[in-house]
Amino acid sequence: MIRLVSLGGTGDAYLVCALARAVEAQYDSEVTVALRERQLAVPEMFGLRCEAADDEVARAERSRATQRSYNNRLAAGRTFYAHPCFTRSHVSLAELTTLPGQLSQAHVFRALLGLPLDTPLEVPPLPTAERRENVALLIPEAGSWPNDQPEFWATLAQELRAGGWSVEINDDASPLADLLTFAASAEMVAGPQCGVMSIPVAAEFPCRKVLCTPQIEEGEGFPVGYRRLRATFPYAYVTKFTGNDYDVDEYRITARNHAEVVESILAAPRGQRDPHPVTTVSVPLTPGDFLDRLAVLAVKRDRLGPAADREYLRYREACPAEWDGLLRELVNLHSTTFDQLAFTVPAALACPERDDHVAVALNRTRVELKRRIDEDLRAPYREIKSYYG
Amino acid sequence: MIRILSLGGTGDAYLVSALARAVMVKYTSPVRIALRSRYTYIPASFGMEYEVADDEVAAAENNTDLQRDYDNQVAPDRTFYAHPCFTRSGVRIDELSTLPGVLSQAHLYRALLGLSLDEPLSLPSVPAVETKPNSALLIPQAVSWPNDQPKFWRALERALRANGWDVRVNDPAVPLVDLFMQAAGAEMVAGPQCGVMSILVSGRFPCRKVFCTPSIDGTPGFFVGKRVLNQTYPYGYVTKFDGLQYNVEEYRLTSGNHAEVIQAILTAPRTPRDPAPVQ
């Protein structure tokens, strides 16, 4: 028997549990997960053997000496503290550089547990709950992220109610199992980047997930390991947890954008979304290509509304402030081009005799093909071109 | 005095040397780098104090018990084994997850040495040699990447000579100081992804750098830590070393593309390139 003691928050417990069966297979031994009593709902989701160990967890989290000196070796008949604060865990650091993308929390736990870095995370069965349309669950408080903008949540609740939603605000004291069951039944769950929000995403709950994460750029940030985190993104993106991307909404909440974010949440399409991971590709872009795409998205957002929101927001977050002047130049140019094309393209398509008809028709075919590729390969967003329909 | 023992290859010695001044500042202690005699040119090019420790390095590289159990702390009057194979180095790997991009070798060494993950790398002094136009230095052999396509290098040498280039092929027995002197004076240096090529890039040598890295896709690959790497990219890209992007050429060599790669190398523009990082 291997005893995995899970320290930290709900997200840490989820990752330990999602990898526990891989540990059983690799080490040919049964696993028991020991953790805080209030987190027992997590191993129970996966049907794992578990036990409450509040005192042991608290002691292990406090003792820096134990974290540094305990020979944290994963083997049958031993207790393994499954948290990166236990630094004598025999992790092969060099192999982390072989990862093709960013290091996610799931990679951290795979490395700690001595598993291959591409070990799949188990997806637990969904809590049994009937879907409730127009029900929104708000989770304003997170253990791992400062909630320094409580008024945002009050505004969001008020506007959702005014828009006909039934709104439930999570009470920290309610049991985790109840919270997860409620989340599984709601049409929408909104909260900051945190372990509790990561579970509906990683466990592929059918609800719409809206991550509204208070910015930390202007505050003191918070420690992750020995480092103080002061930038909201990319750490707060949904990809940081499992390493996968999902069809979710993501916003950085500032003191000035509450109304804009609330409006965007209310205006977003309400069709059911595919909860499985989606596909994106990361390659280095030149500044010109990057700004050009951002300018296109900015114009579309201005003209077509929030359908292009998430892609736009990701580009916007990645744009250094000192490039804003260059961006403005491109936005002005694209804005004028947009108006011209909105007039020229339909006219060219309607008139086969025009010199530009073939070129414009081929471009329409390209756009259709691109949409089909994105659909077949499960992209999180599709390009919108108003003048092609 | 903090004694940093540098294990591994040329690239490892470079990163340790490029971060040694930051270690001095952070721990308010002088630093001495102990390493293989073959690599002493590297700390010297940063003006760092060093000592030769061939036997000690070999012993540490072969002693898996020491790698697992030695309490590897950076502190005055201690020896720190600067290599990720020493797993008791106090690194919090969750901190590495805060990086906005992929994890580079430089990030790994910053973390090992207890430095901030965005600590700048110092720059070495590049040998003051005048660039000789039409001179190419080929470095076919790398310790850290298999050279299973020696034919490519012979074909590249022939093609360059036929086009008027003065070609020198590196002899692995040549001292590092001479190799870097030759590289500093060459118009172009070509080699696979390896420590020497990475130093030319990160150290901002003025020569044109051409990475011709034999493909490991579909092969048994090689170990990085405990993991078998059998995909050339993105690990083989120049960014993997110090996390920055540079104006270099990068090719994945397969048994079927030698002629195509050589043609691309021969036809590329020959104007001098900015050796500083690009965005």
Side-chain angles (χ1 to χ4, degrees), chain A residues 68 84-85 88 90-93 95 97-98 102 226-227 240 323, chain B residues 68 71 73 88 90 92-93 95 97-98 100 224-227 240 279:
Chain A
R68 178 155 184 112
C85 66
R88 198 180 169 190
H90 312 289
V91 173
S92 167
L93 285 175
E95 78 184 55
T97 64
T98 65
Q102 288 180 34
Y226 304 131
R227 192 178 199 209
K240 186 53 75 181
W323 292 1
Chain B
R68 193 185 55 234
D71 188 10
Q73 291 181 41
R88 202 181 163 192
R92 286 277 307 245
I93 56 170
E95 150 176 347
S97 73
T98 63
V224 178
K226 297 173 193 160
R227 190 178 198 208
K240 185 52 75 179
Q279 284 185 317

PDB file of all heavy atoms in Angstrom, chain A residues 68 84-85 88 90-93 95 97-98 102 226-227 240 323, chain B residues 68 71 73 88 90 92-93 95 97-98 100 224-227 240 279:
ATOM      1  N   ARG A  68      12.144  19.825   3.641  1.00  0.00           N
ATOM      2  CA  ARG A  68      13.461  19.793   3.004  1.00  0.00           C
ATOM      3  C   ARG A  68      14.160  18.447   3.221  1.00  0.00           C
ATOM      4  O   ARG A  68      14.856  17.957   2.343  1.00  0.00           O
ATOM      5  CB  ARG A  68      14.319  20.930   3.564  1.00  0.00           C
ATOM      6  CG  ARG A  68      15.692  20.907   2.980  1.00  0.00           C
ATOM      7  CD  ARG A  68      16.435  22.202   2.950  1.00  0.00           C
ATOM      8  NE  ARG A  68      17.690  21.932   2.246  1.00  0.00           N
ATOM      9  CZ  ARG A  68      18.008  22.398   1.063  1.00  0.00           C
ATOM     10  NH1 ARG A  68      17.195  23.203   0.454  1.00  0.00           N
ATOM     11  NH2 ARG A  68      19.153  22.077   0.491  1.00  0.00           N
ATOM     12  N   PRO A  84       4.823  19.885  -4.157  1.00  0.00           N
ATOM     13  CA  PRO A  84       6.168  20.355  -4.519  1.00  0.00           C
ATOM     14  C   PRO A  84       6.939  21.012  -3.387  1.00  0.00           C
ATOM     15  O   PRO A  84       8.150  21.219  -3.517  1.00  0.00           O
ATOM     16  CB  PRO A  84       5.906  21.340  -5.664  1.00  0.00           C
ATOM     17  CG  PRO A  84       4.453  21.631  -5.645  1.00  0.00           C
ATOM     18  CD  PRO A  84       3.780  20.474  -5.000  1.00  0.00           C
ATOM     19  N   CYS A  85       6.272  21.339  -2.255  1.00  0.00           N
ATOM     20  CA  CYS A  85       7.034  21.908  -1.137  1.00  0.00           C
ATOM     21  C   CYS A  85       7.944  20.853  -0.513  1.00  0.00           C
ATOM     22  O   CYS A  85       8.893  21.192   0.183  1.00  0.00           O
ATOM     23  CB  CYS A  85       6.118  22.544  -0.091  1.00  0.00           C
ATOM     24  SG  CYS A  85       5.071  21.389   0.785  1.00  0.00           S
ATOM     25  N   ARG A  88      12.657  17.025  -1.413  1.00  0.00           N
ATOM     26  CA  ARG A  88      13.529  15.855  -1.558  1.00  0.00           C
ATOM     27  C   ARG A  88      12.704  14.704  -2.150  1.00  0.00           C
ATOM     28  O   ARG A  88      12.579  13.624  -1.571  1.00  0.00           O
ATOM     29  CB  ARG A  88      14.094  15.462  -0.187  1.00  0.00           C
ATOM     30  CG  ARG A  88      15.305  14.589  -0.272  1.00  0.00           C
ATOM     31  CD  ARG A  88      15.829  14.225   1.100  1.00  0.00           C
ATOM     32  NE  ARG A  88      16.837  13.174   0.984  1.00  0.00           N
ATOM     33  CZ  ARG A  88      17.341  12.519   2.007  1.00  0.00           C
ATOM     34  NH1 ARG A  88      16.954  12.795   3.242  1.00  0.00           N
ATOM     35  NH2 ARG A  88      18.236  11.571   1.810  1.00  0.00           N
ATOM     36  N   HIS A  90      13.111  13.556  -5.348  1.00  0.00           N
ATOM     37  CA  HIS A  90      13.843  12.842  -6.419  1.00  0.00           C
ATOM     38  C   HIS A  90      13.255  13.126  -7.804  1.00  0.00           C
ATOM     39  O   HIS A  90      13.170  12.235  -8.644  1.00  0.00           O
ATOM     40  CB  HIS A  90      13.883  11.335  -6.134  1.00  0.00           C
ATOM     41  CG  HIS A  90      14.292  11.048  -4.721  1.00  0.00           C
ATOM     42  ND1 HIS A  90      15.581  11.240  -4.282  1.00  0.00           N
ATOM     43  CD2 HIS A  90      13.568  10.649  -3.642  1.00  0.00           C
ATOM     44  CE1 HIS A  90      15.635  10.957  -2.980  1.00  0.00           C
ATOM     45  NE2 HIS A  90      14.430  10.599  -2.566  1.00  0.00           N
ATOM     46  N   VAL A  91      12.866  14.365  -8.004  1.00  0.00           N
ATOM     47  CA  VAL A  91      12.317  14.752  -9.310  1.00  0.00           C
ATOM     48  C   VAL A  91      13.461  14.959 -10.302  1.00  0.00           C
ATOM     49  O   VAL A  91      14.464  15.586  -9.975  1.00  0.00           O
ATOM     50  CB  VAL A  91      11.504  16.061  -9.188  1.00  0.00           C
ATOM     51  CG1 VAL A  91      11.086  16.569 -10.558  1.00  0.00           C
ATOM     52  CG2 VAL A  91      10.290  15.838  -8.313  1.00  0.00           C
ATOM     53  N   SER A  92      13.281  14.421 -11.494  1.00  0.00           N
ATOM     54  CA  SER A  92      14.264  14.628 -12.551  1.00  0.00           C
ATOM     55  C   SER A  92      13.948  15.957 -13.246  1.00  0.00           C
ATOM     56  O   SER A  92      13.073  16.032 -14.100  1.00  0.00           O
ATOM     57  CB  SER A  92      14.185  13.475 -13.546  1.00  0.00           C
ATOM     58  OG  SER A  92      14.900  13.800 -14.704  1.00  0.00           O
ATOM     59  N   LEU A  93      14.662  17.005 -12.810  1.00  0.00           N
ATOM     60  CA  LEU A  93      14.363  18.349 -13.340  1.00  0.00           C
ATOM     61  C   LEU A  93      14.661  18.473 -14.828  1.00  0.00           C
ATOM     62  O   LEU A  93      13.923  19.132 -15.560  1.00  0.00           O
ATOM     63  CB  LEU A  93      15.207  19.396 -12.608  1.00  0.00           C
ATOM     64  CG  LEU A  93      14.797  19.764 -11.196  1.00  0.00           C
ATOM     65  CD1 LEU A  93      15.820  20.708 -10.597  1.00  0.00           C
ATOM     66  CD2 LEU A  93      13.431  20.412 -11.203  1.00  0.00           C
ATOM     67  N   GLU A  95      14.313  16.557 -17.261  1.00  0.00           N
ATOM     68  CA  GLU A  95      13.303  16.082 -18.211  1.00  0.00           C
ATOM     69  C   GLU A  95      12.161  17.080 -18.381  1.00  0.00           C
ATOM     70  O   GLU A  95      11.457  17.047 -19.384  1.00  0.00           O
ATOM     71  CB  GLU A  95      12.816  14.687 -17.842  1.00  0.00           C
ATOM     72  CG  GLU A  95      11.825  14.592 -16.733  1.00  0.00           C
ATOM     73  CD  GLU A  95      11.513  13.123 -16.407  1.00  0.00           C
ATOM     74  OE1 GLU A  95      12.450  12.373 -16.141  1.00  0.00           O
ATOM     75  OE2 GLU A  95      10.333  12.755 -16.439  1.00  0.00           O
ATOM     76  N   THR A  97      12.508  20.035 -19.161  1.00  0.00           N
ATOM     77  CA  THR A  97      12.839  20.889 -20.321  1.00  0.00           C
ATOM     78  C   THR A  97      12.455  20.222 -21.643  1.00  0.00           C
ATOM     79  O   THR A  97      12.505  20.864 -22.685  1.00  0.00           O
ATOM     80  CB  THR A  97      14.343  21.237 -20.377  1.00  0.00           C
ATOM     81  OG1 THR A  97      15.088  20.036 -20.561  1.00  0.00           O
ATOM     82  CG2 THR A  97      14.808  21.953 -19.142  1.00  0.00           C
ATOM     83  N   THR A  98      12.097  18.959 -21.612  1.00  0.00           N
ATOM     84  CA  THR A  98      11.706  18.284 -22.863  1.00  0.00           C
ATOM     85  C   THR A  98      10.247  18.562 -23.218  1.00  0.00           C
ATOM     86  O   THR A  98       9.802  18.190 -24.308  1.00  0.00           O
ATOM     87  CB  THR A  98      11.888  16.751 -22.763  1.00  0.00           C
ATOM     88  OG1 THR A  98      10.986  16.244 -21.772  1.00  0.00           O
ATOM     89  CG2 THR A  98      13.307  16.383 -22.411  1.00  0.00           C
ATOM     90  N   GLN A 102       4.261  24.957 -22.155  1.00  0.00           N
ATOM     91  CA  GLN A 102       4.471  25.426 -20.784  1.00  0.00           C
ATOM     92  C   GLN A 102       4.298  24.298 -19.783  1.00  0.00           C
ATOM     93  O   GLN A 102       3.582  23.332 -20.030  1.00  0.00           O
ATOM     94  CB  GLN A 102       3.442  26.505 -20.454  1.00  0.00           C
ATOM     95  CG  GLN A 102       3.697  27.815 -21.149  1.00  0.00           C
ATOM     96  CD  GLN A 102       2.639  28.838 -20.768  1.00  0.00           C
ATOM     97  OE1 GLN A 102       2.147  28.858 -19.647  1.00  0.00           O
ATOM     98  NE2 GLN A 102       2.260  29.673 -21.711  1.00  0.00           N
ATOM     99  N   TYR A 226       8.985  29.601  -4.333  1.00  0.00           N
ATOM    100  CA  TYR A 226       9.760  30.694  -3.734  1.00  0.00           C
ATOM    101  C   TYR A 226       9.569  31.992  -4.513  1.00  0.00           C
ATOM    102  O   TYR A 226      10.189  32.993  -4.237  1.00  0.00           O
ATOM    103  CB  TYR A 226      11.262  30.359  -3.753  1.00  0.00           C
ATOM    104  CG  TYR A 226      11.623  29.066  -3.076  1.00  0.00           C
ATOM    105  CD1 TYR A 226      12.433  28.135  -3.717  1.00  0.00           C
ATOM    106  CD2 TYR A 226      11.175  28.771  -1.794  1.00  0.00           C
ATOM    107  CE1 TYR A 226      12.783  26.947  -3.107  1.00  0.00           C
ATOM    108  CE2 TYR A 226      11.519  27.577  -1.176  1.00  0.00           C
ATOM    109  CZ  TYR A 226      12.324  26.675  -1.838  1.00  0.00           C
ATOM    110  OH  TYR A 226      12.664  25.501  -1.247  1.00  0.00           O
ATOM    111  N   ARG A 227       8.713  31.966  -5.530  1.00  0.00           N
ATOM    112  CA  ARG A 227       8.587  33.113  -6.422  1.00  0.00           C
ATOM    113  C   ARG A 227       7.288  33.871  -6.152  1.00  0.00           C
ATOM    114  O   ARG A 227       6.260  33.257  -5.884  1.00  0.00           O
ATOM    115  CB  ARG A 227       8.574  32.605  -7.865  1.00  0.00           C
ATOM    116  CG  ARG A 227       8.726  33.695  -8.874  1.00  0.00           C
ATOM    117  CD  ARG A 227       8.755  33.148 -10.283  1.00  0.00           C
ATOM    118  NE  ARG A 227       9.327  34.129 -11.179  1.00  0.00           N
ATOM    119  CZ  ARG A 227       9.044  34.245 -12.457  1.00  0.00           C
ATOM    120  NH1 ARG A 227       8.214  33.401 -13.014  1.00  0.00           N
ATOM    121  NH2 ARG A 227       9.586  35.167 -13.189  1.00  0.00           N
ATOM    122  N   LYS A 240      -3.203  26.232 -17.537  1.00  0.00           N
ATOM    123  CA  LYS A 240      -2.151  26.020 -16.536  1.00  0.00           C
ATOM    124  C   LYS A 240      -2.426  24.813 -15.649  1.00  0.00           C
ATOM    125  O   LYS A 240      -1.504  24.230 -15.078  1.00  0.00           O
ATOM    126  CB  LYS A 240      -2.013  27.300 -15.693  1.00  0.00           C
ATOM    127  CG  LYS A 240      -0.895  27.334 -14.705  1.00  0.00           C
ATOM    128  CD  LYS A 240       0.460  27.018 -15.281  1.00  0.00           C
ATOM    129  CE  LYS A 240       1.075  28.111 -16.106  1.00  0.00           C
ATOM    130  NZ  LYS A 240       2.396  27.710 -16.657  1.00  0.00           N
ATOM    131  N   TRP A 323       3.672  48.650 -27.309  1.00  0.00           N
ATOM    132  CA  TRP A 323       3.309  48.419 -28.709  1.00  0.00           C
ATOM    133  C   TRP A 323       1.943  49.034 -29.047  1.00  0.00           C
ATOM    134  O   TRP A 323       1.454  48.880 -30.169  1.00  0.00           O
ATOM    135  CB  TRP A 323       3.257  46.916 -29.016  1.00  0.00           C
ATOM    136  CG  TRP A 323       4.597  46.231 -28.965  1.00  0.00           C
ATOM    137  CD1 TRP A 323       5.802  46.794 -28.664  1.00  0.00           C
ATOM    138  CD2 TRP A 323       4.875  44.846 -29.227  1.00  0.00           C
ATOM    139  NE1 TRP A 323       6.806  45.848 -28.714  1.00  0.00           N
ATOM    140  CE2 TRP A 323       6.268  44.652 -29.055  1.00  0.00           C
ATOM    141  CE3 TRP A 323       4.088  43.745 -29.586  1.00  0.00           C
ATOM    142  CZ2 TRP A 323       6.884  43.404 -29.224  1.00  0.00           C
ATOM    143  CZ3 TRP A 323       4.695  42.506 -29.761  1.00  0.00           C
ATOM    144  CH2 TRP A 323       6.082  42.346 -29.580  1.00  0.00           C
TER     145      TRP A 323
ATOM    146  N   ARG B  68      21.512  11.472  -5.298  1.00  0.00           N
ATOM    147  CA  ARG B  68      20.196  11.377  -4.662  1.00  0.00           C
ATOM    148  C   ARG B  68      20.210  11.935  -3.238  1.00  0.00           C
ATOM    149  O   ARG B  68      19.260  12.561  -2.799  1.00  0.00           O
ATOM    150  CB  ARG B  68      19.766   9.901  -4.642  1.00  0.00           C
ATOM    151  CG  ARG B  68      18.308   9.681  -4.292  1.00  0.00           C
ATOM    152  CD  ARG B  68      17.979   8.206  -4.182  1.00  0.00           C
ATOM    153  NE  ARG B  68      18.863   7.547  -3.242  1.00  0.00           N
ATOM    154  CZ  ARG B  68      19.595   6.457  -3.514  1.00  0.00           C
ATOM    155  NH1 ARG B  68      19.539   5.895  -4.689  1.00  0.00           N
ATOM    156  NH2 ARG B  68      20.393   5.922  -2.599  1.00  0.00           N
ATOM    157  N   ASP B  71      22.976  16.735   0.387  1.00  0.00           N
ATOM    158  CA  ASP B  71      22.169  17.929   0.693  1.00  0.00           C
ATOM    159  C   ASP B  71      22.795  19.118  -0.044  1.00  0.00           C
ATOM    160  O   ASP B  71      23.677  19.802   0.474  1.00  0.00           O
ATOM    161  CB  ASP B  71      22.155  18.157   2.209  1.00  0.00           C
ATOM    162  CG  ASP B  71      21.180  19.263   2.598  1.00  0.00           C
ATOM    163  OD1 ASP B  71      20.391  19.704   1.732  1.00  0.00           O
ATOM    164  OD2 ASP B  71      21.212  19.686   3.761  1.00  0.00           O
ATOM    165  N   GLN B  73      23.180  22.386  -1.127  1.00  0.00           N
ATOM    166  CA  GLN B  73      22.781  23.768  -0.836  1.00  0.00           C
ATOM    167  C   GLN B  73      23.825  24.747  -1.362  1.00  0.00           C
ATOM    168  O   GLN B  73      25.027  24.507  -1.197  1.00  0.00           O
ATOM    169  CB  GLN B  73      22.686  23.979   0.668  1.00  0.00           C
ATOM    170  CG  GLN B  73      21.556  23.242   1.330  1.00  0.00           C
ATOM    171  CD  GLN B  73      21.524  23.543   2.830  1.00  0.00           C
ATOM    172  OE1 GLN B  73      21.729  24.676   3.253  1.00  0.00           O
ATOM    173  NE2 GLN B  73      21.279  22.518   3.621  1.00  0.00           N
ATOM    174  N   ARG B  88      18.546  16.632  -4.731  1.00  0.00           N
ATOM    175  CA  ARG B  88      18.220  17.200  -3.412  1.00  0.00           C
ATOM    176  C   ARG B  88      18.760  18.632  -3.340  1.00  0.00           C
ATOM    177  O   ARG B  88      19.548  18.972  -2.469  1.00  0.00           O
ATOM    178  CB  ARG B  88      18.845  16.317  -2.333  1.00  0.00           C
ATOM    179  CG  ARG B  88      18.195  16.458  -0.999  1.00  0.00           C
ATOM    180  CD  ARG B  88      18.846  15.599   0.050  1.00  0.00           C
ATOM    181  NE  ARG B  88      18.469  16.064   1.358  1.00  0.00           N
ATOM    182  CZ  ARG B  88      19.030  15.679   2.487  1.00  0.00           C
ATOM    183  NH1 ARG B  88      20.006  14.784   2.469  1.00  0.00           N
ATOM    184  NH2 ARG B  88      18.626  16.163   3.644  1.00  0.00           N
ATOM    185  N   GLY B  90      16.785  21.445  -3.325  1.00  0.00           N
ATOM    186  CA  GLY B  90      15.835  22.408  -2.739  1.00  0.00           C
ATOM    187  C   GLY B  90      14.990  23.152  -3.750  1.00  0.00           C
ATOM    188  O   GLY B  90      14.412  24.184  -3.427  1.00  0.00           O
ATOM    189  N   ARG B  92      11.822  24.176  -5.816  1.00  0.00           N
ATOM    190  CA  ARG B  92      10.352  24.050  -5.798  1.00  0.00           C
ATOM    191  C   ARG B  92       9.886  24.032  -7.244  1.00  0.00           C
ATOM    192  O   ARG B  92       9.869  25.070  -7.911  1.00  0.00           O
ATOM    193  CB  ARG B  92       9.730  25.247  -5.074  1.00  0.00           C
ATOM    194  CG  ARG B  92       9.868  25.280  -3.564  1.00  0.00           C
ATOM    195  CD  ARG B  92       8.813  24.452  -2.866  1.00  0.00           C
ATOM    196  NE  ARG B  92       7.450  24.753  -3.242  1.00  0.00           N
ATOM    197  CZ  ARG B  92       6.533  25.257  -2.427  1.00  0.00           C
ATOM    198  NH1 ARG B  92       6.830  25.559  -1.192  1.00  0.00           N
ATOM    199  NH2 ARG B  92       5.290  25.441  -2.847  1.00  0.00           N
ATOM    200  N   ILE B  93       9.488  22.858  -7.737  1.00  0.00           N
ATOM    201  CA  ILE B  93       9.170  22.803  -9.164  1.00  0.00           C
ATOM    202  C   ILE B  93       7.873  23.535  -9.502  1.00  0.00           C
ATOM    203  O   ILE B  93       7.666  23.901 -10.652  1.00  0.00           O
ATOM    204  CB  ILE B  93       9.135  21.365  -9.728  1.00  0.00           C
ATOM    205  CG1 ILE B  93       8.173  20.489  -8.962  1.00  0.00           C
ATOM    206  CG2 ILE B  93      10.495  20.772  -9.800  1.00  0.00           C
ATOM    207  CD1 ILE B  93       7.952  19.154  -9.659  1.00  0.00           C
ATOM    208  N   GLU B  95       7.254  26.477  -8.780  1.00  0.00           N
ATOM    209  CA  GLU B  95       7.656  27.824  -9.186  1.00  0.00           C
ATOM    210  C   GLU B  95       7.966  27.873 -10.692  1.00  0.00           C
ATOM    211  O   GLU B  95       7.740  28.881 -11.355  1.00  0.00           O
ATOM    212  CB  GLU B  95       8.839  28.220  -8.311  1.00  0.00           C
ATOM    213  CG  GLU B  95       9.820  29.129  -8.869  1.00  0.00           C
ATOM    214  CD  GLU B  95      10.896  29.507  -7.837  1.00  0.00           C
ATOM    215  OE1 GLU B  95      10.740  29.250  -6.629  1.00  0.00           O
ATOM    216  OE2 GLU B  95      11.896  30.087  -8.269  1.00  0.00           O
ATOM    217  N   SER B  97       6.304  26.493 -12.859  1.00  0.00           N
ATOM    218  CA  SER B  97       5.028  26.575 -13.585  1.00  0.00           C
ATOM    219  C   SER B  97       4.559  28.030 -13.728  1.00  0.00           C
ATOM    220  O   SER B  97       3.588  28.307 -14.417  1.00  0.00           O
ATOM    221  CB  SER B  97       3.951  25.732 -12.903  1.00  0.00           C
ATOM    222  OG  SER B  97       3.529  26.344 -11.707  1.00  0.00           O
ATOM    223  N   THR B  98       5.240  28.982 -13.086  1.00  0.00           N
ATOM    224  CA  THR B  98       4.853  30.395 -13.235  1.00  0.00           C
ATOM    225  C   THR B  98       5.468  31.016 -14.487  1.00  0.00           C
ATOM    226  O   THR B  98       5.134  32.150 -14.838  1.00  0.00           O
ATOM    227  CB  THR B  98       5.312  31.244 -12.030  1.00  0.00           C
ATOM    228  OG1 THR B  98       6.741  31.231 -11.974  1.00  0.00           O
ATOM    229  CG2 THR B  98       4.747  30.727 -10.720  1.00  0.00           C
ATOM    230  N   PRO B 100       6.067  32.227 -18.132  1.00  0.00           N
ATOM    231  CA  PRO B 100       5.086  32.479 -19.194  1.00  0.00           C
ATOM    232  C   PRO B 100       5.321  31.640 -20.442  1.00  0.00           C
ATOM    233  O   PRO B 100       4.421  31.475 -21.252  1.00  0.00           O
ATOM    234  CB  PRO B 100       5.285  33.968 -19.504  1.00  0.00           C
ATOM    235  CG  PRO B 100       6.639  34.312 -18.985  1.00  0.00           C
ATOM    236  CD  PRO B 100       6.962  33.362 -17.889  1.00  0.00           C
ATOM    237  N   VAL B 224      16.968  12.381 -21.556  1.00  0.00           N
ATOM    238  CA  VAL B 224      17.114  13.684 -20.906  1.00  0.00           C
ATOM    239  C   VAL B 224      16.507  13.476 -19.522  1.00  0.00           C
ATOM    240  O   VAL B 224      15.299  13.282 -19.399  1.00  0.00           O
ATOM    241  CB  VAL B 224      16.374  14.802 -21.657  1.00  0.00           C
ATOM    242  CG1 VAL B 224      16.523  16.132 -20.912  1.00  0.00           C
ATOM    243  CG2 VAL B 224      16.897  14.936 -23.073  1.00  0.00           C
ATOM    244  N   GLY B 225      17.333  13.473 -18.499  1.00  0.00           N
ATOM    245  CA  GLY B 225      16.859  13.033 -17.191  1.00  0.00           C
ATOM    246  C   GLY B 225      16.472  11.568 -17.308  1.00  0.00           C
ATOM    247  O   GLY B 225      17.200  10.765 -17.887  1.00  0.00           O
ATOM    248  N   LYS B 226      15.255  11.246 -16.841  1.00  0.00           N
ATOM    249  CA  LYS B 226      14.819   9.842 -16.928  1.00  0.00           C
ATOM    250  C   LYS B 226      13.935   9.625 -18.149  1.00  0.00           C
ATOM    251  O   LYS B 226      13.342   8.572 -18.314  1.00  0.00           O
ATOM    252  CB  LYS B 226      14.033   9.474 -15.666  1.00  0.00           C
ATOM    253  CG  LYS B 226      14.852   9.546 -14.392  1.00  0.00           C
ATOM    254  CD  LYS B 226      13.934   9.336 -13.175  1.00  0.00           C
ATOM    255  CE  LYS B 226      14.628   9.719 -11.895  1.00  0.00           C
ATOM    256  NZ  LYS B 226      13.689   9.987 -10.797  1.00  0.00           N
ATOM    257  N   ARG B 227      13.776  10.673 -18.974  1.00  0.00           N
ATOM    258  CA  ARG B 227      12.836  10.593 -20.086  1.00  0.00           C
ATOM    259  C   ARG B 227      13.573  10.380 -21.404  1.00  0.00           C
ATOM    260  O   ARG B 227      14.605  11.029 -21.643  1.00  0.00           O
ATOM    261  CB  ARG B 227      12.059  11.909 -20.150  1.00  0.00           C
ATOM    262  CG  ARG B 227      10.897  11.860 -21.090  1.00  0.00           C
ATOM    263  CD  ARG B 227      10.126  13.159 -21.089  1.00  0.00           C
ATOM    264  NE  ARG B 227       8.818  12.928 -21.663  1.00  0.00           N
ATOM    265  CZ  ARG B 227       8.105  13.838 -22.295  1.00  0.00           C
ATOM    266  NH1 ARG B 227       8.542  15.062 -22.402  1.00  0.00           N
ATOM    267  NH2 ARG B 227       6.940  13.543 -22.801  1.00  0.00           N
ATOM    268  N   LYS B 240      15.664  26.738 -26.684  1.00  0.00           N
ATOM    269  CA  LYS B 240      15.677  25.827 -25.525  1.00  0.00           C
ATOM    270  C   LYS B 240      16.848  26.105 -24.585  1.00  0.00           C
ATOM    271  O   LYS B 240      16.805  25.784 -23.406  1.00  0.00           O
ATOM    272  CB  LYS B 240      15.729  24.368 -26.038  1.00  0.00           C
ATOM    273  CG  LYS B 240      15.632  23.304 -24.995  1.00  0.00           C
ATOM    274  CD  LYS B 240      14.461  23.453 -24.063  1.00  0.00           C
ATOM    275  CE  LYS B 240      13.133  23.071 -24.645  1.00  0.00           C
ATOM    276  NZ  LYS B 240      12.036  23.222 -23.671  1.00  0.00           N
ATOM    277  N   GLN B 279      12.712  39.437 -31.179  1.00  0.00           N
ATOM    278  CA  GLN B 279      11.398  39.196 -30.560  1.00  0.00           C
ATOM    279  C   GLN B 279      10.541  38.342 -31.456  1.00  0.00           C
ATOM    280  O   GLN B 279      10.588  38.474 -32.660  1.00  0.00           O
ATOM    281  CB  GLN B 279      10.699  40.512 -30.298  1.00  0.00           C
ATOM    282  CG  GLN B 279      11.286  41.218 -29.101  1.00  0.00           C
ATOM    283  CD  GLN B 279      10.530  42.475 -28.758  1.00  0.00           C
ATOM    284  OE1 GLN B 279      10.158  43.243 -29.627  1.00  0.00           O
ATOM    285  NE2 GLN B 279      10.306  42.694 -27.479  1.00  0.00           N
TER     286      GLN B 279
END
